[in-house]
Amino acid sequence: MNNVINNSTSNTITTTDSRYGLQELNFERTIGGMGLENNERTIPLIDLTDFEIRRAEIREQLWLAATDTGFFQLINHGIDVEKVREAFALSEQFFALSAEDKARFPLKDGLNAGWEFMAQVRPSTGTADQKESYQVTLPHMDNLWPDQTLVPEFQRVILDFEQRSWQLGMQVLSCFAEKLGFAQDFFTQAHRRDSAEYQSTLRLLHYLPLAEGAVAEAGIWRAGAHTDFDCLTMVFQKTGQGGLQVCPGKEALQNQEWTSVIPQDDIITCNIGDMLMRWSDDKLKSTLHRVRMPKPDEARGPRYSMAFFCQANKDVMIQGPEKKYEAISARDYLLQRINANFAAVQAAEAQK
């Protein structure tokens, strides 16, 4: 669910960032194995029915989940399940295009916009994720939309879904803003869709099928273990297409216990990202997650999901109310994280 592809920076990595990159590599190396599965753990389920009427109650539920485990699921969230299914259907149509057709919409360097195929390498594994993705970041979508001949109604439906996802994300973030002592619309202003600096992203994902009779190689993942760089990630899954697992909070790494998330069309799985963890002075917990390969007794077909990454506009300054960390722009914060990830991958390659 990480929203940055590792071919997205050509910037010089400073000494500080290089050191951070090595720390990131050492950290990521500890989470690349299978670990233990603990499916007894309960994922907090939060009902958003009558959101404004129940705001105080919902705010406390979200805060407890985000400070304790860093992940939770939303029901009755206001996005009609038929809208979710419509977006999934068009996502599948796009990924069913020939590689030649999809290559007409290539990922733009450093902009999280366009199509990529197996381009993401996790420091935790050193291997490419077994997936392809198409990313929508509004200011950078020129020449990246398939036309009506290729995928009818794709642009209209996906743009509508992106806006609905943004609206829901801002609802959730408004609760965290209040708990942190900010104005209710603080994060809405930090994620303005009408700004050229907007960098929230909707990512359509297609995890590749495992051939009949094939055995998944050790160290190969549909998505290797990672935390996200953003404020809040919301993941839409299709019923019956599992594999997503979470490990609550970075402090829970000692046992590396992973809990499977049961997918349902009408439930959204959310996790706190590193940007919001920093913005909250570490009160809100960034959450590790991964997508494992199918087990021998599980469905081996393709897996589709959609992830919306609430990521502050580039010109917004990030600093928590307690000022635990120095203020940094969202642009520089993301660049720092990309550089760290990039350096970690280079170091891993050098040691092979």
Side-chain angles (χ1 to χ4, degrees), residues 218-236:
I220 301 297
W221 298 83
R222 281 180 157 173
H226 62 281
T227 59
D228 289 340
F229 299 167
D230 62 348
C231 284
L232 175 72
T233 304
M234 303 186 301
V235 180
F236 300 80

Side-chain angles (χ1 to χ4, degrees), residues 51-307:
F51 179 82
E52 289 302 334
I53 296 173
R54 298 177 50 243
R55 172 180 280 275
E57 175 190 352
I58 292 170
R59 183 175 62 226
E60 296 306 315
Q61 291 175 355
L62 287 169
W63 184 258
L64 178 60
T67 54
D68 182 35
T69 60
F71 66 90
F72 48 90
Q73 293 186 301
L74 304 177
I75 60 172
N76 300 319
H77 43 69
I79 300 181
D80 191 296
V81 69
E82 292 307 318
K83 295 291 184 182
V84 177
R85 289 169 181 157
E86 182 182 32
F88 266 126
L90 288 174
S91 173
E92 290 186 40
Q93 288 182 42
F94 175 83
F95 289 123
L97 295 173
S98 68
E100 181 181 17
D101 280 335
K102 288 181 286 191
R104 293 162 54 185
F105 316 105
L107 186 73
K108 294 182 179 180
D109 236 12
L111 298 178
N112 280 341
W115 173 74
E116 59 80 24
F117 182 82
M118 290 182 61
Q120 190 152 26
V121 177
R122 307 287 181 186
S124 62
T125 63
T127 58
D129 286 352
Q130 302 298 293
K131 64 173 175 59
E132 60 180 324
S133 69
Y134 175 86
Q135 301 182 87
V136 177
T137 303
L138 296 184
H140 311 300
M141 295 304 293
D142 290 348
N143 303 315
L144 290 181
W145 293 107
D147 61 27
Q148 288 289 88
T149 304
L150 273 182
V151 189
E153 297 301 300
F154 184 82
Q155 181 175 353
R156 179 187 65 80
V157 170
I158 296 304
L159 278 176
D160 176 74
F161 190 75
E162 192 275 348
Q163 182 174 24
R164 292 171 188 271
S165 299
W166 175 85
Q167 288 173 333
L168 177 60
M170 296 309 103
Q171 269 192 324
V172 172
L173 287 174
S174 73
C175 292
F176 295 135
E178 290 177 313
K179 290 293 292 185
L180 289 168
F182 297 134
Q184 187 181 108
D185 68 345
F186 177 84
F187 288 118
T188 302
Q189 295 303 314
H191 295 77
R192 286 182 53 182
R193 289 180 82 250
D194 60 353
S195 170
E197 306 298 314
Y198 182 73
Q199 57 178 354
S200 294
T201 297
L202 173 64
R203 178 186 274 188
L204 311 181
L205 291 147
H206 170 218
Y207 297 93
L208 307 181
L210 187 62
E212 192 62 38
V215 177
E217 297 178 39
I220 301 297
W221 298 83
R222 281 180 157 173
H226 62 281
T227 59
D228 289 340
F229 299 167
D230 62 348
C231 284
L232 175 72
T233 304
M234 303 186 301
V235 180
F236 300 80
Q237 300 185 87
K238 297 192 70 172
T239 300
Q241 296 185 3
L244 175 62
Q245 295 184 313
V246 294
C247 181
K250 288 186 177 180
E251 77 282 3
L253 285 178
Q254 292 179 343
N255 297 323
Q256 268 197 62
E257 291 188 347
W258 296 88
T259 297
S260 294
V261 178
I262 306 303
Q264 257 184 248
D265 291 358
D266 58 348
I267 293 180
I268 303 173
T269 300
C270 302
N271 64 272
I272 302 302
D274 296 337
M275 183 180 283
L276 188 57
M277 186 168 173
R278 179 180 179 125
W279 224 330
S280 70
D281 298 310
D282 292 337
K283 290 182 175 64
L284 303 174
K285 304 301 182 185
S286 179
T287 306
L288 284 162
H289 47 280
R290 66 188 187 185
V291 182
R292 61 165 174 74
M293 298 292 285
K295 294 181 178 181
D297 60 341
E298 295 176 336
R300 307 164 72 84
R303 178 183 187 271
Y304 297 91
S305 69
M306 299 182 292

Side-chain angles (χ1 to χ4, degrees), residues 274-348:
D274 296 337
M275 183 180 283
L276 188 57
M277 186 168 173
R278 179 180 179 125
W279 224 330
S280 70
D281 298 310
D282 292 337
K283 290 182 175 64
L284 303 174
K285 304 301 182 185
S286 179
T287 306
L288 284 162
H289 47 280
R290 66 188 187 185
V291 182
R292 61 165 174 74
M293 298 292 285
K295 294 181 178 181
D297 60 341
E298 295 176 336
R300 307 164 72 84
R303 178 183 187 271
Y304 297 91
S305 69
M306 299 182 292
F308 186 77
F309 301 94
C310 300
Q311 189 161 269
N313 292 6
K314 294 177 183 178
D315 56 351
V316 169
M317 299 303 293
I318 299 170
Q319 189 172 43
E322 297 174 5
K323 297 181 171 54
K324 181 176 181 178
Y325 300 101
E326 292 183 8
I328 185 172
S329 71
R331 174 190 285 106
D332 289 343
Y333 177 78
L334 182 59
L335 178 60
Q336 181 187 80
R337 293 304 313 272
I338 293 171
N339 283 342
N341 212 30
F342 189 72
V345 172
Q346 286 184 323

Side-chain angles (χ1 to χ4, degrees), residues 19-31 344 351:
R19 186 164 58 249
Y20 180 83
L22 292 176
Q23 292 171 351
E24 183 76 2
L25 175 60
N26 290 333
F27 166 68
E28 296 273 5
R29 278 178 174 166
T30 69
I31 59 175
Q351 293 184 14

